[in-house]
Amino acid sequence: MAELMFGMGMTKKKKADQAYVKETKDALKNVNITETVESNELKELHKRDQAEKETERQTKAHLKDVNVTESVEGQVRKEQNKMEKDWKEAGRQQKEDNKNFDMARALFN
């Protein structure tokens, strides 16, 4: 019988705890959070980020108007590119020439 009374007491205590939690949650639902130091700091960070992004967008928009003329560096790059292409083509041609090479004929000539 004592165990039953103990169990009922625990159930009462548990229900009381749950009621307290429910009351606390209901009371906190009506709390309006206004400005805090953190929210103000986050707003400032957001404004700063938006300003940086706007600056970047404006810079990209202004760079579209820039005309790129031919420069010494561009000429050097073109020459280097042409040399690389010629070198690759020479390598390809050498492979083609080597396909027709006959070792037996080369020994007896």
Side-chain angles (χ1 to χ4, degrees):
M1 187 73 167
E3 290 116 9
L4 183 61
M5 295 303 278
F6 178 74
M8 287 176 68
M10 292 302 284
T11 304
K12 257 187 201 178
K13 184 174 181 343
K14 184 177 176 183
K15 284 185 180 180
D17 287 345
Q18 288 175 345
Y20 175 73
V21 169
K22 185 177 183 312
E23 288 172 11
T24 305
K25 284 183 180 179
D26 289 342
L28 290 176
K29 285 181 184 176
N30 297 329
V31 173
N32 289 332
I33 298 175
T34 57
E35 288 188 17
T36 62
V37 175
E38 291 176 12
S39 66
N40 290 338
E41 185 66 26
L42 290 174
K43 284 180 187 176
E44 289 299 318
L45 285 173
H46 180 69
K47 285 180 186 175
R48 197 176 324 147
D49 288 345
Q50 293 302 318
E52 288 176 7
K53 288 179 183 178
E54 182 60 31
T55 304
E56 186 176 333
R57 282 192 288 271
Q58 288 177 355
T59 303
K60 285 183 180 180
H62 293 308
L63 288 177
K64 289 179 184 176
D65 299 332
V66 174
N67 290 330
V68 178
T69 59
E70 200 165 313
S71 64
V72 176
E73 293 175 7
Q75 292 172 354
V76 170
R77 287 189 192 122
K78 283 182 184 176
E79 290 174 12
Q80 290 174 343
N81 188 22
K82 186 179 182 314
M83 286 191 309
E84 281 187 35
K85 283 184 177 179
D86 292 343
W87 179 76
K88 286 180 182 178
E89 186 58 37
R92 288 187 197 114
Q93 191 61 40
Q94 184 64 40
K95 284 183 183 179
E96 287 295 322
D97 292 345
N98 287 346
K99 285 182 183 176
N100 298 330
F101 182 73
D102 189 2
M103 185 64 91
R105 284 193 191 143
L107 290 175
F108 295 111
N109 281 339

